[in-house]
PDB file of all heavy atoms in Angstrom:
ATOM      1  N   GLY B 506      20.567  25.981  81.387  1.00  0.00           N
ATOM      2  CA  GLY B 506      19.569  27.057  81.421  1.00  0.00           C
ATOM      3  C   GLY B 506      18.298  26.632  82.138  1.00  0.00           C
ATOM      4  O   GLY B 506      17.703  27.396  82.903  1.00  0.00           O
ATOM      5  N   PHE B 507      17.907  25.392  81.906  1.00  0.00           N
ATOM      6  CA  PHE B 507      16.676  24.878  82.499  1.00  0.00           C
ATOM      7  C   PHE B 507      16.792  24.830  84.029  1.00  0.00           C
ATOM      8  O   PHE B 507      15.872  25.221  84.742  1.00  0.00           O
ATOM      9  CB  PHE B 507      16.388  23.479  81.941  1.00  0.00           C
ATOM     10  CG  PHE B 507      15.073  22.908  82.398  1.00  0.00           C
ATOM     11  CD1 PHE B 507      13.891  23.304  81.800  1.00  0.00           C
ATOM     12  CD2 PHE B 507      15.025  22.009  83.448  1.00  0.00           C
ATOM     13  CE1 PHE B 507      12.680  22.790  82.239  1.00  0.00           C
ATOM     14  CE2 PHE B 507      13.813  21.499  83.890  1.00  0.00           C
ATOM     15  CZ  PHE B 507      12.638  21.883  83.279  1.00  0.00           C
ATOM     16  N   PHE B 508      17.944  24.353  84.511  1.00  0.00           N
ATOM     17  CA  PHE B 508      18.156  24.284  85.971  1.00  0.00           C
ATOM     18  C   PHE B 508      18.123  25.684  86.581  1.00  0.00           C
ATOM     19  O   PHE B 508      17.541  25.896  87.655  1.00  0.00           O
ATOM     20  CB  PHE B 508      19.486  23.608  86.307  1.00  0.00           C
ATOM     21  CG  PHE B 508      19.502  22.135  86.021  1.00  0.00           C
ATOM     22  CD1 PHE B 508      20.668  21.504  85.624  1.00  0.00           C
ATOM     23  CD2 PHE B 508      18.354  21.371  86.153  1.00  0.00           C
ATOM     24  CE1 PHE B 508      20.692  20.149  85.351  1.00  0.00           C
ATOM     25  CE2 PHE B 508      18.365  20.011  85.884  1.00  0.00           C
ATOM     26  CZ  PHE B 508      19.538  19.397  85.481  1.00  0.00           C
ATOM     27  N   ILE B 509      18.770  26.628  85.911  1.00  0.00           N
ATOM     28  CA  ILE B 509      18.787  28.006  86.433  1.00  0.00           C
ATOM     29  C   ILE B 509      17.350  28.539  86.508  1.00  0.00           C
ATOM     30  O   ILE B 509      16.935  29.113  87.518  1.00  0.00           O
ATOM     31  CB  ILE B 509      19.662  28.923  85.541  1.00  0.00           C
ATOM     32  CG1 ILE B 509      21.132  28.558  85.696  1.00  0.00           C
ATOM     33  CG2 ILE B 509      19.450  30.402  85.899  1.00  0.00           C
ATOM     34  CD1 ILE B 509      22.074  29.321  84.797  1.00  0.00           C
ATOM     35  N   ALA B 510      16.593  28.310  85.435  1.00  0.00           N
ATOM     36  CA  ALA B 510      15.212  28.799  85.404  1.00  0.00           C
ATOM     37  C   ALA B 510      14.390  28.151  86.506  1.00  0.00           C
ATOM     38  O   ALA B 510      13.617  28.819  87.208  1.00  0.00           O
ATOM     39  CB  ALA B 510      14.604  28.502  84.036  1.00  0.00           C
ATOM     40  N   MET B 511      14.603  26.853  86.677  1.00  0.00           N
ATOM     41  CA  MET B 511      13.816  26.112  87.660  1.00  0.00           C
ATOM     42  C   MET B 511      14.103  26.622  89.083  1.00  0.00           C
ATOM     43  O   MET B 511      13.181  26.950  89.826  1.00  0.00           O
ATOM     44  CB  MET B 511      14.175  24.629  87.568  1.00  0.00           C
ATOM     45  CG  MET B 511      13.172  23.702  88.178  1.00  0.00           C
ATOM     46  SD  MET B 511      13.586  22.004  87.811  1.00  0.00           S
ATOM     47  CE  MET B 511      14.988  21.743  88.852  1.00  0.00           C
ATOM     48  N   PHE B 512      15.376  26.733  89.416  1.00  0.00           N
ATOM     49  CA  PHE B 512      15.729  27.178  90.766  1.00  0.00           C
ATOM     50  C   PHE B 512      15.322  28.626  91.006  1.00  0.00           C
ATOM     51  O   PHE B 512      14.864  28.970  92.089  1.00  0.00           O
ATOM     52  CB  PHE B 512      17.233  26.988  91.020  1.00  0.00           C
ATOM     53  CG  PHE B 512      17.568  25.603  91.483  1.00  0.00           C
ATOM     54  CD1 PHE B 512      17.810  24.608  90.565  1.00  0.00           C
ATOM     55  CD2 PHE B 512      17.601  25.286  92.828  1.00  0.00           C
ATOM     56  CE1 PHE B 512      18.088  23.318  90.972  1.00  0.00           C
ATOM     57  CE2 PHE B 512      17.878  23.997  93.246  1.00  0.00           C
ATOM     58  CZ  PHE B 512      18.125  23.010  92.314  1.00  0.00           C
ATOM     59  N   SER B 513      15.510  29.456  89.995  1.00  0.00           N
ATOM     60  CA  SER B 513      15.160  30.865  90.203  1.00  0.00           C
ATOM     61  C   SER B 513      13.644  31.010  90.356  1.00  0.00           C
ATOM     62  O   SER B 513      13.179  31.829  91.153  1.00  0.00           O
ATOM     63  CB  SER B 513      15.693  31.753  89.074  1.00  0.00           C
ATOM     64  OG  SER B 513      15.168  31.352  87.866  1.00  0.00           O
ATOM     65  N   TYR B 514      12.882  30.183  89.647  1.00  0.00           N
ATOM     66  CA  TYR B 514      11.425  30.264  89.767  1.00  0.00           C
ATOM     67  C   TYR B 514      10.972  29.838  91.174  1.00  0.00           C
ATOM     68  O   TYR B 514      10.139  30.495  91.807  1.00  0.00           O
ATOM     69  CB  TYR B 514      10.757  29.382  88.706  1.00  0.00           C
ATOM     70  CG  TYR B 514       9.269  29.622  88.586  1.00  0.00           C
ATOM     71  CD1 TYR B 514       8.780  30.652  87.813  1.00  0.00           C
ATOM     72  CD2 TYR B 514       8.359  28.829  89.279  1.00  0.00           C
ATOM     73  CE1 TYR B 514       7.433  30.910  87.718  1.00  0.00           C
ATOM     74  CE2 TYR B 514       7.002  29.066  89.199  1.00  0.00           C
ATOM     75  CZ  TYR B 514       6.542  30.107  88.408  1.00  0.00           C
ATOM     76  OH  TYR B 514       5.193  30.358  88.335  1.00  0.00           O
ATOM     77  N   ILE B 515      11.574  28.745  91.640  1.00  0.00           N
ATOM     78  CA  ILE B 515      11.211  28.268  92.988  1.00  0.00           C
ATOM     79  C   ILE B 515      11.582  29.310  94.043  1.00  0.00           C
ATOM     80  O   ILE B 515      10.800  29.632  94.937  1.00  0.00           O
ATOM     81  CB  ILE B 515      11.900  26.911  93.279  1.00  0.00           C
ATOM     82  CG1 ILE B 515      11.331  25.841  92.359  1.00  0.00           C
ATOM     83  CG2 ILE B 515      11.722  26.498  94.738  1.00  0.00           C
ATOM     84  CD1 ILE B 515      12.142  24.578  92.290  1.00  0.00           C
ATOM     85  N   LEU B 516      12.789  29.868  93.896  1.00  0.00           N
ATOM     86  CA  LEU B 516      13.221  30.893  94.864  1.00  0.00           C
ATOM     87  C   LEU B 516      12.352  32.140  94.775  1.00  0.00           C
ATOM     88  O   LEU B 516      12.064  32.782  95.780  1.00  0.00           O
ATOM     89  CB  LEU B 516      14.686  31.265  94.601  1.00  0.00           C
ATOM     90  CG  LEU B 516      15.720  30.270  95.129  1.00  0.00           C
ATOM     91  CD1 LEU B 516      17.118  30.681  94.702  1.00  0.00           C
ATOM     92  CD2 LEU B 516      15.668  30.197  96.646  1.00  0.00           C
ATOM     93  N   LEU B 517      11.945  32.449  93.561  1.00  0.00           N
ATOM     94  CA  LEU B 517      11.083  33.622  93.371  1.00  0.00           C
ATOM     95  C   LEU B 517       9.740  33.430  94.085  1.00  0.00           C
ATOM     96  O   LEU B 517       9.250  34.335  94.770  1.00  0.00           O
ATOM     97  CB  LEU B 517      10.862  33.848  91.870  1.00  0.00           C
ATOM     98  CG  LEU B 517      10.080  35.087  91.461  1.00  0.00           C
ATOM     99  CD1 LEU B 517      10.864  36.326  91.815  1.00  0.00           C
ATOM    100  CD2 LEU B 517       9.807  35.069  89.983  1.00  0.00           C
ATOM    101  N   LEU B 518       9.194  32.240  93.953  1.00  0.00           N
ATOM    102  CA  LEU B 518       7.930  31.953  94.632  1.00  0.00           C
ATOM    103  C   LEU B 518       8.099  32.004  96.153  1.00  0.00           C
ATOM    104  O   LEU B 518       7.225  32.467  96.868  1.00  0.00           O
ATOM    105  CB  LEU B 518       7.416  30.562  94.237  1.00  0.00           C
ATOM    106  CG  LEU B 518       6.905  30.395  92.808  1.00  0.00           C
ATOM    107  CD1 LEU B 518       6.383  28.986  92.612  1.00  0.00           C
ATOM    108  CD2 LEU B 518       5.813  31.398  92.480  1.00  0.00           C
ATOM    109  N   LYS B 519       9.237  31.529  96.612  1.00  0.00           N
ATOM    110  CA  LYS B 519       9.469  31.459  98.060  1.00  0.00           C
ATOM    111  C   LYS B 519       9.786  32.827  98.654  1.00  0.00           C
ATOM    112  O   LYS B 519       9.340  33.156  99.751  1.00  0.00           O
ATOM    113  CB  LYS B 519      10.644  30.507  98.344  1.00  0.00           C
ATOM    114  CG  LYS B 519      10.254  29.049  98.331  1.00  0.00           C
ATOM    115  CD  LYS B 519       9.603  28.712  99.632  1.00  0.00           C
ATOM    116  CE  LYS B 519       9.195  27.260  99.721  1.00  0.00           C
ATOM    117  NZ  LYS B 519       8.215  27.087 100.798  1.00  0.00           N
ATOM    118  N   THR B 520      10.635  33.591  97.950  1.00  0.00           N
ATOM    119  CA  THR B 520      11.169  34.815  98.559  1.00  0.00           C
ATOM    120  C   THR B 520      10.563  36.097  98.017  1.00  0.00           C
ATOM    121  O   THR B 520      10.695  37.147  98.643  1.00  0.00           O
ATOM    122  CB  THR B 520      12.694  34.901  98.354  1.00  0.00           C
ATOM    123  OG1 THR B 520      12.958  34.974  96.951  1.00  0.00           O
ATOM    124  CG2 THR B 520      13.412  33.703  98.925  1.00  0.00           C
ATOM    125  N   GLU B 521       9.981  36.038  96.834  1.00  0.00           N
ATOM    126  CA  GLU B 521       9.422  37.215  96.142  1.00  0.00           C
ATOM    127  C   GLU B 521      10.481  38.267  95.842  1.00  0.00           C
ATOM    128  O   GLU B 521      10.179  39.441  95.653  1.00  0.00           O
ATOM    129  CB  GLU B 521       8.291  37.850  96.965  1.00  0.00           C
ATOM    130  CG  GLU B 521       7.088  36.946  97.122  1.00  0.00           C
ATOM    131  CD  GLU B 521       5.998  37.564  97.957  1.00  0.00           C
ATOM    132  OE1 GLU B 521       6.211  38.662  98.513  1.00  0.00           O
ATOM    133  OE2 GLU B 521       4.918  36.951  98.055  1.00  0.00           O
ATOM    134  N   LYS B 522      11.733  37.878  95.832  1.00  0.00           N
ATOM    135  CA  LYS B 522      12.809  38.824  95.527  1.00  0.00           C
ATOM    136  C   LYS B 522      12.879  39.020  94.010  1.00  0.00           C
ATOM    137  O   LYS B 522      12.816  38.048  93.258  1.00  0.00           O
ATOM    138  CB  LYS B 522      14.149  38.292  96.020  1.00  0.00           C
ATOM    139  CG  LYS B 522      14.193  38.058  97.500  1.00  0.00           C
ATOM    140  CD  LYS B 522      15.057  39.084  98.179  1.00  0.00           C
ATOM    141  CE  LYS B 522      15.215  38.752  99.643  1.00  0.00           C
ATOM    142  NZ  LYS B 522      14.616  39.719 100.519  1.00  0.00           N
ATOM    143  N   GLU B 523      13.058  40.268  93.605  1.00  0.00           N
ATOM    144  CA  GLU B 523      13.104  40.498  92.168  1.00  0.00           C
ATOM    145  C   GLU B 523      14.491  40.200  91.594  1.00  0.00           C
ATOM    146  O   GLU B 523      15.497  40.260  92.308  1.00  0.00           O
ATOM    147  CB  GLU B 523      12.681  41.934  91.849  1.00  0.00           C
ATOM    148  CG  GLU B 523      13.489  43.006  92.525  1.00  0.00           C
ATOM    149  CD  GLU B 523      12.862  44.377  92.304  1.00  0.00           C
ATOM    150  OE1 GLU B 523      12.821  44.837  91.160  1.00  0.00           O
ATOM    151  OE2 GLU B 523      12.443  44.992  93.300  1.00  0.00           O
TER     152      GLU B 523
END
Side-chain angles (χ1 to χ4, degrees):
Chain B
F507 185 79
F508 290 148
I509 290 176
M511 199 172 73
F512 275 87
S513 60
Y514 191 84
I515 293 165
L516 282 175
L517 185 66
L518 290 183
K519 279 281 181 198
T520 63
E521 295 179 354
K522 300 252 186 246
E523 57 188 295

